[in-house]
Amino acid sequence: MKEAIREALKGLSTQGIPIGSVIVYQGKIIGRGHNQRIQKKSATLHGEMDALEKAGRLPAHIYQESVLYTTLSPCAMCTGAILLYKIPHVVIGEHQSFMGEETLLKSKGVNVEVLNDAACIQMMTDFIEKNPSLWNEDIGV
């Protein structure tokens, strides 16, 4: 989770939304990313999607044996990617700022672990307070 938080802080340092993600296979990070919707004027570049993109094209079994760490509960789009690649374990930094599709993930057999990490909560609380319109845009409000 520390690496996912580092990714989130990278996003924040470039005027973006502080959400980060890493994908771990056999104890090694194979993909890392952060939300870059603002920086790259992207409709889809959430932290999880960026980490998957940077992991690159890999054999299916690698994703099926990986753990995805994300600082915030995954939205419907990112949940769809997690399910598509059959990632079996998702560790979530927090879901107080935004409750994603955790129920759907669990219903499909994904092991969902929520840490409610104080640093993740504070990072999102501060960002939302200072940037409500950017946050609302990111979550489709």
Side-chain angles (χ1 to χ4, degrees), residues 20-83:
S21 183
V22 295
I23 303 167
V24 176
Y25 172 70
Q26 295 184 346
K28 291 181 70 177
I29 294 173
I30 60 170
R32 57 174 60 239
H34 53 275
N35 187 304
Q36 294 187 68
R37 289 189 68 244
I38 295 165
Q39 300 93 317
K40 294 196 175 180
K41 298 179 180 13
S42 170
T44 59
L45 206 47
H46 285 189
E48 300 90 339
M49 302 302 277
D50 191 33
L52 281 164
E53 180 67 22
K54 288 178 178 163
R57 185 173 176 229
L58 298 169
H61 77 90
I62 292 178
Y63 293 113
Q64 294 166 10
E65 298 170 20
S66 292
V67 178
L68 183 139
Y69 292 81
T70 182
T71 58
L72 188 65
S73 187
C75 72
M77 175 181 64
C78 296
T79 293
I82 291 164
L83 295 174

Side-chain angles (χ1 to χ4, degrees), residues 79-93:
T79 293
I82 291 164
L83 295 174
L84 176 68
Y85 290 101
K86 297 182 173 74
I87 297 171
H89 188 181
V90 176
V91 180
I92 298 167

Side-chain angles (χ1 to χ4, degrees), residues 62-130:
I62 292 178
Y63 293 113
Q64 294 166 10
E65 298 170 20
S66 292
V67 178
L68 183 139
Y69 292 81
T70 182
T71 58
L72 188 65
S73 187
C75 72
M77 175 181 64
C78 296
T79 293
I82 291 164
L83 295 174
L84 176 68
Y85 290 101
K86 297 182 173 74
I87 297 171
H89 188 181
V90 176
V91 180
I92 298 167
E94 69 109 338
H95 63 190
Q96 293 180 20
S97 302
F98 176 79
M99 174 60 80
E101 300 296 330
E102 295 173 30
T103 301
L104 176 58
L105 288 168
K106 290 176 186 176
S107 77
K108 298 293 186 177
V110 176
N111 178 12
V112 175
E113 185 179 345
V114 180
L115 303 178
N116 280 323
D117 179 82
C120 292
I121 293 168
Q122 192 65 56
M123 185 167 45
M124 286 308 301
T125 300
D126 291 348
F127 179 82
I128 293 167
E129 184 178 297
K130 293 175 186 169

